């Protein structure tokens, strides 16, 4: 790896950490950067998943004031771990082409759910109107779906988690974003373990990108706390739409 390659990965890591903390989709910055320095697609995807993990940790630290009590989150962690392992094993064991064609529609669908959150809540019911059992099932389903997606192809994981959780949780968008950061960190740690053991990780690329995502993730999380909810929601919707369209274009070309 020469100096220009290292500079490209460093800049991509800083940008990706910030974007992941604010809206999600930072992997669409680091993944092409890894392709650009010469890594094949599968090692680039695996290395990218490992490299963005520190940024998720920094986002958790930056948004910790908005997290609910640990007891409220404890039941979501096992679901996230199991879902991530399933997704990561799918990545290592199955052809990616079919999933690549589905991913853009998942991202665009999740973005639409967030954009039209209020009408959908009127249609399916507000979280506060659900029984505790119904609320638990809804939240666990959303988390499991997001974790499988994150284990397989982590790009736009934040968009999908925010969209799903905002629909089933009676919480501010800042709190939903903080929960998203924590769950993303769990997904990131799980993929790190699986891919470090079984995946073709390029550790030189990880060594450059990971520290940069750490800085960017903390900055992005602090920024989220200062943004009005309407602005934050608009940013996530815009990011999600652009990411979904980009993935669709890439899958069809």
């Amino acid at each position: 790896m020469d100096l220009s390659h290292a500079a490209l990965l460093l800049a991509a890591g800083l940008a990706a950490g910030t974007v992941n903390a604010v809206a999600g989709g930072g992997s669409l910055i680091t993944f092409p950067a890894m392709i650009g320095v010469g890594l094949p697609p599968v090692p680039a995807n695996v290395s990218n998943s490992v490299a963005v993990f520190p940024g998720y940790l920094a986002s958790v630290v930056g948004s910790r004031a908005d997290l609910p009590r640990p007891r409220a989150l404890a039941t979501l962690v096992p679901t996230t771990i199991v879902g991530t392992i399933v997704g990561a094993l799918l990545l290592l064991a199955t052809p990616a082409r079919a999933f690549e064609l589905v991913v853009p529609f998942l991202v665009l669908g999740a973005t639409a759910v967030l954009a039209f959150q209020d009408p959908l809540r009127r249609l399916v019911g507000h979280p506060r109107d659900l029984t505790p059992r119904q609320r638990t099932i809804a939240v666990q389903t959303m988390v499991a779906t997001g974790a499988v997606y994150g284990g397989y192809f982590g790009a736009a994981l934040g968009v999908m988690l925010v969209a799903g959780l905002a629909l089933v949780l009676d919480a501010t968008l800042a709190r939903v974003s903080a929960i998203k950061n924590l769950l993303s960190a769990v997904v990131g740690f799980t993929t790190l373990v699986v891919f470090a053991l079984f995946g073709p990780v390029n550790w030189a690329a990880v060594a450059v990108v990971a520290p940069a995502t750490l800085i960017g993730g903390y900055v992005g999380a602090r920024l989220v706390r200062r943004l009005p909810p309407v602005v934050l929601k608009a940013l996530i919707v815009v990011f999600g739409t652009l990411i979904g369209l980009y993935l669709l274009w890439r899958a069809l070309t």
Side-chain angles (χ1 to χ4, degrees):
M1 183 184 300
D2 60 29
L3 188 59
S4 63
H5 288 171
L8 173 62
L9 292 177
L10 184 65
L14 285 168
T18 304
V19 169
N20 276 338
V22 174
S27 291
L28 291 178
I29 301 172
T30 48
F31 177 71
M34 290 191 177
I35 294 289
V37 300
L39 294 184
V42 172
N45 189 26
V46 169
S47 302
N48 178 67
S49 296
V50 173
V52 298
F53 168 65
Y56 290 140
L57 281 183
S59 300
V60 174
V61 174
S63 60
R64 63 190 182 281
D66 291 311
L67 284 171
R69 292 173 300 176
R71 181 179 295 182
L73 298 169
T75 59
L76 300 182
V77 173
T79 302
T80 305
I81 293 173
V82 171
T84 304
I85 291 173
V86 171
L89 293 179
L90 281 174
L91 173 64
L92 296 176
T94 62
R97 180 58 183 166
F99 198 81
E100 284 178 357
L101 293 172
V102 175
V103 164
F105 298 100
L106 292 176
V107 175
L108 290 171
T111 304
V113 167
L114 183 62
F116 300 102
Q117 175 186 337
D118 293 333
L120 284 171
R121 276 184 168 177
R122 288 194 292 270
L123 182 65
V124 303
H126 195 281
R128 71 170 67 99
D129 298 328
L130 301 177
T131 66
R133 177 180 174 82
Q134 290 173 327
R135 194 179 304 116
T136 298
I137 292 173
V139 173
Q140 292 284 354
T141 300
M142 290 296 183
V143 170
T145 302
V148 172
Y149 173 87
Y152 192 100
F153 186 74
L157 170 63
V159 175
M160 299 194 73
L161 284 176
V162 169
L165 292 173
L167 190 63
V168 298
L169 290 177
D170 184 17
T172 65
L173 198 55
R175 170 155 288 189
V176 169
S177 182
I179 297 172
K180 174 264 296 181
N181 289 338
L182 178 64
L183 297 181
S184 296
V186 175
V187 170
F189 179 74
T190 307
T191 54
L192 185 154
V193 172
V194 173
F195 292 150
L197 292 174
F198 305 110
V201 178
N202 185 297
W203 291 105
V206 170
V208 176
V209 174
T213 65
L214 189 67
I215 298 170
Y218 184 79
V219 171
R222 301 302 293 177
L223 178 62
V224 165
R225 299 200 70 217
R226 298 175 181 272
L227 291 175
V230 174
V231 175
L232 178 58
K233 184 175 181 178
L235 281 174
I236 297 172
V237 169
V238 170
F239 270 114
T241 302
L242 292 175
I243 291 165
L245 292 175
Y246 168 77
L247 289 173
L248 182 61
W249 171 80
R250 197 178 71 175
L252 296 177
T253 55

